[in-house]
C-alpha cells in the first residue's frame, strides 16, 4: 500500500509540474527557438509571446521576444520595399502594416507606409486626371517650374530616307519638314555644302549625321522648334541647357565618404558647379542633363550599403595554483647562554653550539666558582611544523561580439579603468634626512591617468568580394597583478597578454590568436644539511614547499558577414558617355534603326510641303489603347467578389450608418488590403469594424486602417494570425461606419484590392461599389 501511495503521489506531482506555467513557458520558448532557426520570425514572435505570458517575470523571454519582433519587422519592411520597387503598392502597404503590428516600437514602417500611401494617392490622382487638365501648380497658385529642358515632339516619327547634296541650311530645312519641325539657325553658322545619304533612320539620327557633316549641333528650343549652331566650345556654353539637381545618398556614414564621391565626380566629368552638403548627405550639381544622367548612374553604382561583419570573440583564461608545504623547519638561529654572576652585573657570555663568547667586561674564575642556577640563562630557538596544502583554480570565459562596418574601426572594452598616478616628482627639501620640521613631501604634483584593464579589442575589418574578411586586430587581455609603492603612492602592476596582427579569414573560419601557456614549478627545501636529505626522516629536520602554477590564455575569432554590397547587372553595365569635349548619353532606341519602314519619301527639292510627309503609324511612336473587342468579358457571378451590402443607401445630413463589406466564393483567404474612394464633401468614413468572416471561429485578426478625409480615401487591411490557414466561403468581412456630411450623392468604391492566400499568393477579386444619397 505504501508503494502504491508513493506512486500515486509522484504521478500527481508530475501532472502538477507538467501543467505549471513555467513548463508551458519553456515549451513555447523551445518552439520559438525552432522557429527562429528556420527564420520564421512571425512564428517566433508568437511563441515567445506565449512564453512571456506564461512567465511574465522572465527577463530572458522578454529579451528574446524583443529580438524576434525586430527581426520580424525588418523582414516585412524589406519585403515591402521590394514590392514597392516592383510597383505593387498594395502589397507593400500590407507588408508595412504587418511590420507595424509585429514591432510597434520601430518607426521605420510608419515612415515607409506614409511614403507608399502618398505614392498610391498620387497614382490614383494621375489616373483620374483628365488629359486636358491644366498642369500641376506649385505653391502660391503659380504654374510648376519645369524640371528639364524641352523634349523634341515632332509631328511625324516616320523613318527618314533622304539623298541630296546641298547647302547645310537646305538639308536641315528638308529634315525638319519631313518631321514637321521648324528649324532656326545661329547667325554664326557658315554656309557649307554637304552630301547627305540617309536610309531608314530616325529623326534624331538624321539630325546627328547632318551635324557631323556640317560641324554643328542641334538642340530643341520648344517641342517643335530646333536650333542649329556651330559646334564650338563657346557656342556649347552659350546654348547648352543646364539643370540643377540634388542627389541624396542613403548609405554615406561619414563626411569623408561624401567628399570622396564629390571629388571623383568632379574629376571624372570636369564639373565646375558641384557642392556637397554634409548635414543632409547630399550633393547639389548644376550642369547639362546628359552630365546629370551620368552622375545619377555613377551615384547609383557607388551609393551602396557598406558590408558589415559580426566578429565573435571567445576568450578563455584559466589558471591553477597548487601549493604543498610539509615538514618541520629546524631552528634558524643558534643556542645562546647568558652568565650573570650575582656579584657582577656587567659580565656575560654567549655560547652557540660548542663556541663560547665572553663579554668585553669579562668575569673572574673566582666568580665562576660561586655561580649558581640563577646566574645562567639559556635561549633555545623555536622550530616550525608545517602541514599545509592549498589548491586554487580560476576560469574566466568571455564571449563578446563586435559588429563593424567595412573599413571602420570598432572597439570593445570589457573590464575596469584603473587609475595610475603620473606627474612630476622631486627630492625632499629640508634639514636632515628624516621628515621633520621644514621637510617638504617629495611628491610635488600628482595627476592620474586611467588605464583600461580587462578585455580590450580594436578591429578594423575589410570584406572582399569573394566573402573573405581581412582584419587588422589588436587584442589585449590584462588584469591587476599586484600593487607596489612608488613615491609614497601605491601603483598597480598590470599583467598583460597582447596580440596585434593583420589576418585574412574566410567567412565562418575559426582563428586562434595569442594562445599562451605558462607553467611555473617552484620547489623550496629549508632544513639542516644532510639531515634534510634523509628519506622519510627529512620531514623532521626540514620543510618541503612545492608551488605549481599553470595559466593559459586562449583567444578565438570567428567572422560572420551580415551584409554584402548589392551589386546588380545594372551597376556593372557600362554607359556610353559621348566625346571627351561634350559628355552626353543616348538611349539605345536612338542608336537603332526604326522598326517600321514605310515607303521611303524621295526628296529632289527642299520645297516639299508638310502635306506630302508620310505620317507615323500608331505602332511607330504612340501607345494605342486596346480595342473594345479585346476587353476581357465581365466576370461570372461564381468568381470571388467583394461587394457592399447594401449597395444603395439613403441618409440624412449628420446621420451615421454601417455598410457591410461582404466577400463571396473565396478560397483560402488570409489577408485583404484594400483602398476605398468616396466624395469627401458628401460623406466621411468614421470607423472600420470587425466583420467576423476572417476570425473563423473567434480567432483574433489584425485590422489596420488609415482614413484620409481630405482626399476621400481609406486604406483598410484585415489579416489573420501567422501560420494559420485561410478561410473559405462567403461572409461579412468588415463593417464600414459612414457619416453623411452634406446633401448630394457619393459613390463608395473599392478602387484597389490585394487579397492573398495563406501562401501569400494573390487572389483575384471582382469589386463592387455602393451609392449613398444624402437628402434633407
Amino acid at each position: 500500500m505504501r508503494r502504491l501511495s508513493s506512486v500515486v503521489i509522484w504521478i500527481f506531482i508530475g501532472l502538477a509540474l507538467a501543467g505549471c506555467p513555467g513548463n508551458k513557458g519553456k515549451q513555447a520558448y523551445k518552439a520559438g527557438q525552432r522557429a527562429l532557426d528556420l527564420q520564421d520570425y512571425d512564428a517566433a514572435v508568437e511563441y515567445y509571446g506565449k512564453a512571456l505570458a506564461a512567465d511574465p517575470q522572465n527577463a530572458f523571454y522578454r529579451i528574446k521576444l524583443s529580438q524576434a519582433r525586430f527581426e520580424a519587422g525588418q523582414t516585412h519592411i524589406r519585403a515591402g520595399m521590394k514590392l514597392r520597387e516592383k510597383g505593387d503598392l498594395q502589397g507593400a502597404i500590407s507588408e508595412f502594416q504587418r511590420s507595424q503590428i509585429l514591432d510597434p516600437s520601430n518607426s521605420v514602417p510608419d515612415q515607409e507606409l506614409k511614403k507608399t500611401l502618398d505614392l498610391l494617392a498620387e497614382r490614383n490622382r494621375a489616373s483620374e486626371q483628365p488629359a486636358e487638365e491644366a498642369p500641376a501648380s506649385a505653391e502660391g497658385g503659380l504654374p510648376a517650374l519645369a524640371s528639364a529642358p524641352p523634349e523634341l515632339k515632332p509631328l511625324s516619327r516616320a523613318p527618314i530616307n533622304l539623298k541630296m547634296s546641298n547647302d547645310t541650311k537646305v538639308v536641315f530645312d528638308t529634315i525638319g519638314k519631313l518631321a514637321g519641325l521648324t528649324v532656326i539657325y545661329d547667325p554664326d553658322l557658315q554656309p557649307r555644302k554637304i552630301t547627305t545619304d540617309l536610309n531608314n533612320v530616325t529623326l534624331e539620327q538624321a539630325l546627328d549625321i547632318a551635324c557631323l557633316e556640317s560641324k554643328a549641333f542641334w538642340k530643341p528650343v520648344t517641342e517643335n522648334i530646333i536650333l542649329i549652331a556651330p559646334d564650338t566650345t563657346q557656342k556649347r556654353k552659350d546654348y547648352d541647357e543646364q539643370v540643377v539637381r540634388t542627389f541624396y545618398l542613403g548609405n554615406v556614414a561619414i563626411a569623408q565618404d561624401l567628399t570622396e564621391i564629390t571629388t571623383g565626380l568632379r574629376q571624372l566629368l570636369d564639373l565646375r558647379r558641384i557642392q556637397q552638403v554634409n548635414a543632409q548627405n547630399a550633393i547639389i550639381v548644376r550642369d547639362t542633363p546628359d552630365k546629370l544622367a551620368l552622375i545619377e548612374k555613377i551615384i547609383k553604382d557607388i551609393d551602396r550599403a557598406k558590408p558589415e561583419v559580426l566578429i565573435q570573440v571567445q576568450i578563455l583564461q584559466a589558471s591553477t595554483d597548487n601549493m604543498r608545504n610539509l615538514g618541520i623547519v629546524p631552528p634558524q638561529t643558534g643556542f645562546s647562554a647568558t652568565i650573570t654572576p650575582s656579584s657582577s652585573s656587567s659580565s656575560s657570555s654567549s655560547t652557540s653550539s660548542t663556541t663560547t663568547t665572553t663579554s668585553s667586561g669579562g668575569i673572574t674564575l673566582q666568580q665562576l666558582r660561586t655561580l649558581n642556577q640563577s646566574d645562567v640563562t639559556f635561549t633555545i630557538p623555536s622550530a616550525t611544523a608545517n602541514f599545509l596544502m592549498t589548491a586554487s583554480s580560476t576560469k574566466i570565459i568571455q564571449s563578446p561580439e563586435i559588429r563593424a562596418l567595412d573599413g571602420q574601426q570598432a572597439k570593445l572594452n570589457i573590464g575596469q579603468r584603473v587609475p595610475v598616478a603620473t606627474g612630476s616628482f622631486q627630492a625632499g627639501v629640508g634639514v636632515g634626512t628624516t621628515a621633520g620640521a621644514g621637510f617638504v613631501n617629495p611628491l610635488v604634483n600628482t595627476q592620474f591617468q586611467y588605464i583600461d584593464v580587462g578585455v580590450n579589442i580594436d578591429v578594423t575589418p575589410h570584406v572582399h568580394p569573394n566573402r573573405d574578411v581581412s582584419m587588422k586586430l589588436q587584442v589585449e587581455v590584462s588584469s591587476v597583478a599586484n600593487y607596489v609603492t612608488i613615491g609614497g603612492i601605491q601603483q598597480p602592476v598590470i599583467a598583460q597578454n597582447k596580440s596585434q596582427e593583420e589576418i585574412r579569414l574566410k567567412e565562418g573560419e575559426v582563428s586562434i590568436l595569442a594562445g599562451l601557456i605558462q607553467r611555473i614549478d617552484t620547489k623550496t627545501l629549508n632544513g639542516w644539511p644532510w639531515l634534510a636529505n634523509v628519506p622519510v626522516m627529512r620531514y623532521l629536520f626540514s620543510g618541503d614547499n612545492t608551488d605549481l602554477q599553470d595559466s593559459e590564455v586562449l583567444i578565438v575569432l570567428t567572422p560572420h558577414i551580415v551584409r554584402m554590397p548589392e551589386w546588380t547587372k545594372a551597376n556593372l553595365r557600362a554607359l556610353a558617355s559621348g566625346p571627351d569635349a561634350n559628355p552626353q548619353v543616348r538611349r539605345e532606341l536612338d542608336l537603332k534603326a526604326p522598326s517600321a519602314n514605310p515607303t521611303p519619301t524621295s526628296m529632289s527639292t527642299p520645297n516639299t510641303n508638310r502635306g506630302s510627309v508620310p505620317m507615323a503609324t500608331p505602332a511607330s511612336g504612340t501607345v494605342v489603347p486596346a480595342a473594345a473587342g479585346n476587353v476581357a468579358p465581365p466576370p461570372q457571378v461564381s468568381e470571388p467578389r467583394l461587394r457592399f451590402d447594401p449597395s444603395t443607401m439613403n441618409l440624412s445630413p449628420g446621420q451615421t450608418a454601417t455598410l457591410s463589406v461582404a466577400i463571396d466564393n473565396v478560397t483560402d483567404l488570409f489577408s485583404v488590403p484594400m483602398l476605398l474612394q468616396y466624395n469627401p464633401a458628401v460623406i466621411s468614413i468614421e470607423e472600420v469594424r470587425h466583420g467576423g468572416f476572417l476570425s473563423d471561429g473567434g480567432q483574433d485578426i489584425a485590422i489596420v486602417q488609415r482614413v484620409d478625409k481630405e482626399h476621400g480615401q481609406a486604406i483598410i487591411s484585415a489579416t489573420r494570425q501567422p501560420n494559420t490557414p485561410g478561410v473559405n466561403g462567403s461572409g461579412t468581412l468588415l463593417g464600414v461606419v459612414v457619416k453623411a456630411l452634406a446633401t448630394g450623392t457619393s459613390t463608395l468604391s473599392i478602387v484597389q484590392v490585394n487579397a492573398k492566400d495563406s501562401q501569400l499568393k494573390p487572389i483575384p477579386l471582382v469589386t463592387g461599389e455602393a451609392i449613398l444619397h444624402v437628402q434633407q
Side-chain angles (χ1 to χ4, degrees):
M1 289 297 294
R2 291 183 178 179
R3 291 185 178 179
L4 182 59
S5 301
S6 301
V7 171
V8 172
I9 291 173
W10 282 111
I11 290 175
F12 278 110
I13 293 175
L15 292 175
L17 292 176
C20 67
N23 288 340
K24 292 182 180 179
K26 291 180 180 178
Q27 294 175 1
Y29 171 75
K30 291 180 180 179
Q33 285 292 97
R34 290 192 294 269
L36 199 63
D37 295 338
L38 297 175
Q39 295 185 354
D40 189 357
Y41 299 114
D42 291 3
V45 170
E46 181 180 358
Y47 287 124
Y48 285 140
K50 292 180 179 179
L52 185 61
D55 189 2
Q57 303 300 326
N58 195 318
F60 189 70
Y61 291 170
R62 192 177 301 276
I63 293 174
K64 281 293 185 181
L65 178 60
S66 299
Q67 294 175 347
R69 284 184 180 277
F70 174 77
E71 293 293 342
Q74 290 296 112
T75 301
H76 286 283
I77 290 173
R78 289 191 292 267
M81 289 182 176
K82 290 181 180 179
L83 291 174
R84 188 173 61 191
E85 291 176 358
K86 295 178 181 179
D88 187 0
L89 299 184
Q90 284 289 351
I93 290 172
S94 177
E95 293 293 340
F96 293 141
Q97 290 172 342
R98 187 61 186 161
S99 178
Q100 285 179 322
I101 296 172
L102 291 171
D103 190 10
S105 63
N106 194 349
S107 61
V108 175
D110 300 337
Q111 299 171 355
E112 298 299 331
L113 178 61
K114 183 179 182 302
K115 181 178 179 181
T116 310
L117 291 174
D118 293 340
L119 291 175
L120 183 60
E122 183 178 353
R123 176 190 291 182
N124 294 333
R125 286 194 297 269
S127 61
E128 296 174 0
Q129 182 178 6
E132 65 276 6
E133 187 174 342
S137 299
E139 294 183 0
L142 298 176
L145 300 177
S147 60
E151 294 184 3
L152 194 62
K153 295 183 179 180
L155 295 179
S156 173
R157 280 288 183 183
I160 294 177
N161 298 275
L162 176 65
K163 183 176 181 180
M164 65 183 307
S165 178
N166 211 323
D167 183 71
T168 301
K169 295 184 178 181
V170 175
V171 174
F172 281 113
D173 287 339
T174 304
I175 296 174
K177 290 180 179 180
L178 286 173
L181 298 176
T182 301
V183 183
I184 61 176
Y185 301 95
D186 182 88
D188 296 333
L189 182 65
Q190 299 297 325
R192 178 179 298 179
K193 184 178 181 179
I194 60 175
T195 300
T196 304
D197 189 358
L198 306 177
N199 183 21
N200 191 31
V201 297
T202 64
L203 170 63
E204 288 79 4
Q205 292 172 349
L207 292 174
D208 291 339
I209 294 171
C211 286
L212 285 176
E213 295 179 346
S214 60
K215 297 186 181 301
F217 72 93
W218 67 275
K219 66 176 296 294
V221 179
T222 64
E223 294 180 350
N224 59 353
I225 299 176
I226 61 174
L227 169 70
I228 309 297
D231 191 3
T232 62
T233 304
Q234 184 60 41
K235 291 297 181 181
R236 288 276 186 181
K237 187 179 298 186
D238 293 340
Y239 288 116
D240 275 347
E241 297 278 356
Q242 293 196 344
V243 179
V244 177
R245 183 173 175 184
T246 303
F247 297 92
Y248 291 95
L249 285 77
N251 297 289
V252 174
I254 57 178
Q256 181 181 356
D257 296 341
L258 193 62
T259 303
E260 290 180 0
I261 296 174
T262 304
T263 303
L265 292 175
R266 182 182 289 110
Q267 294 178 353
L268 283 173
L269 301 176
D270 193 23
L271 302 177
R272 294 184 297 111
R273 297 179 179 89
I274 180 171
Q275 177 65 41
Q276 71 181 57
V277 183
N278 296 333
Q280 299 293 331
N281 283 344
I283 297 176
I284 303 175
V285 185
R286 179 175 181 263
D287 218 301
T288 62
D290 289 331
K291 282 190 177 181
L292 291 181
L294 292 172
I295 293 173
E296 182 179 11
K297 158 70 175 171
I298 295 172
I299 289 180
K300 283 184 177 180
D301 291 345
I302 62 179
D303 185 24
R304 296 288 169 178
K306 286 188 176 182
E308 290 189 47
V309 182
L310 181 68
I311 303 173
Q312 294 180 339
V313 184
Q314 296 179 343
I315 301 173
L316 173 63
Q317 184 176 3
S319 62
T320 58
D321 188 356
N322 297 322
M323 185 187 69
R324 186 189 64 183
N325 192 353
L326 299 176
I328 300 175
V329 180
Q332 303 297 310
T333 60
F335 293 93
S336 62
T338 304
I339 301 175
T340 309
S342 57
S343 60
S344 175
S345 60
S346 61
S347 61
S348 65
S349 64
S350 63
T351 304
S352 177
S353 297
T354 57
T355 303
T356 303
T357 304
T358 306
S359 62
S360 59
I363 58 176
T364 63
L365 291 175
Q366 182 65 30
Q367 291 175 332
L368 290 176
R369 291 177 59 186
T370 61
L371 292 176
N372 54 31
Q373 296 180 355
S374 61
D375 296 332
V376 180
T377 303
F378 293 94
T379 302
I380 302 175
S382 62
T384 304
N386 296 318
F387 299 94
L388 179 63
M389 179 181 292
T390 303
S392 63
S393 177
T394 303
K395 290 184 179 180
I396 301 176
I397 301 176
Q398 295 178 333
S399 182
E401 294 182 350
I402 306 176
R403 184 165 178 170
L405 285 172
D406 180 79
Q408 301 296 323
Q409 186 183 36
K411 294 185 178 182
L412 177 65
N413 298 324
I414 303 175
Q416 300 175 337
R417 293 178 61 84
V418 178
V420 177
T422 60
S424 303
F425 295 87
Q426 198 174 35
V429 179
V431 180
T433 58
T434 60
F439 187 79
V440 179
N441 193 308
L443 185 59
V444 176
N445 185 16
T446 304
Q447 299 174 352
F448 289 91
Q449 178 182 356
Y450 286 85
I451 300 177
D452 292 322
V453 176
V455 178
N456 302 316
I457 302 174
D458 295 349
V459 57
T460 304
H462 176 65
V463 180
H464 299 274
N466 62 349
R467 300 187 72 87
D468 284 0
V469 181
S470 295
M471 293 184 291
K472 184 177 181 181
L473 283 166
Q474 179 173 323
V475 182
E476 176 184 328
V477 180
S478 58
S479 60
V480 178
N482 52 38
Y483 289 87
V484 297
T485 302
I486 301 176
I489 297 179
Q490 280 193 337
Q491 299 277 49
V493 177
I494 308 298
Q496 184 184 68
N497 295 310
K498 187 175 182 180
S499 173
Q500 186 173 357
E501 53 193 334
E502 295 186 13
I503 58 176
R504 178 167 176 168
L505 303 173
K506 294 185 177 297
E507 182 186 9
E509 181 181 355
V510 178
S511 176
I512 301 177
L513 303 177
L516 175 62
I517 300 176
Q518 184 178 11
R519 182 183 179 91
I520 302 175
D521 192 354
T522 304
K523 292 185 177 181
T524 304
L525 182 64
N526 187 9
W528 287 348
W530 302 295
L531 294 177
N533 296 323
V534 177
V536 182
M537 297 294 294
R538 64 190 180 92
Y539 292 108
L540 300 176
F541 304 99
S542 64
D544 188 0
N545 188 2
T546 302
D547 190 1
L548 178 61
Q549 298 179 4
D550 286 335
S551 63
E552 181 177 357
V553 178
L554 192 64
I555 302 173
V556 181
L557 299 178
T558 307
H560 297 281
I561 299 175
V562 295
R563 178 182 291 153
M564 282 289 291
E566 297 179 0
W567 292 314
T568 63
K569 292 183 179 180
N571 300 133
L572 303 177
R573 179 176 175 268
L575 183 65
S577 59
D580 181 66
N582 181 34
Q584 56 182 286
V585 295
R586 294 182 179 180
R587 296 179 177 88
E588 291 184 355
L589 294 177
D590 296 339
L591 304 178
K592 298 179 181 180
S595 57
N597 189 11
T599 304
T601 303
S602 300
M603 297 293 298
S604 58
T605 64
N607 297 324
T608 305
N609 56 25
R610 184 176 299 177
S612 63
V613 177
M615 301 302 292
T617 61
S620 63
T622 59
V623 179
V624 180
N630 296 330
V631 179
Q636 300 297 325
V637 178
S638 61
E639 294 184 0
R641 61 181 303 167
L642 201 63
R643 58 184 176 82
F644 290 99
D645 188 18
S647 60
T648 304
M649 181 177 289
N650 296 322
L651 299 173
S652 301
Q655 182 182 355
T656 59
T658 302
L659 277 77
S660 299
V661 180
I663 193 165
D664 300 325
N665 304 322
V666 71
T667 302
D668 194 21
L669 180 64
F670 181 79
S671 66
V672 188
M674 66 184 74
L675 174 64
L676 306 183
Q677 187 80 32
Y678 59 94
N679 187 352
V682 178
I683 63 172
S684 68
I685 294 180
E686 301 296 323
E687 185 182 1
V688 178
R689 297 175 180 175
H690 178 28
F693 177 71
L694 274 181
S695 62
D696 190 23
Q699 187 185 66
D700 293 335
I701 66 171
I703 297 179
V704 180
Q705 56 180 315
R706 182 179 183 273
V707 180
D708 187 357
K709 295 184 178 182
E710 180 180 358
H711 297 91
Q713 293 179 343
I715 295 178
I716 307 171
S717 175
T719 307
R720 287 175 58 81
Q721 293 296 325
N723 300 324
T724 57
V727 183
N728 304 324
S730 304
T732 301
L733 187 65
L734 299 168
V736 180
V737 179
V738 297
K739 181 179 180 180
L741 301 179
T743 57
T745 301
S746 173
T747 300
L748 182 59
S749 306
I750 303 175
V751 181
Q752 292 185 4
V753 63
N754 187 25
K756 292 186 178 180
D757 59 14
S758 58
Q759 304 299 321
L760 299 183
K761 295 180 180 179
I763 300 177
L765 294 176
V766 178
T767 60
E769 61 182 20
I771 299 176
L772 288 86
H773 302 282
V774 181
Q775 301 174 351
Q776 291 290 348

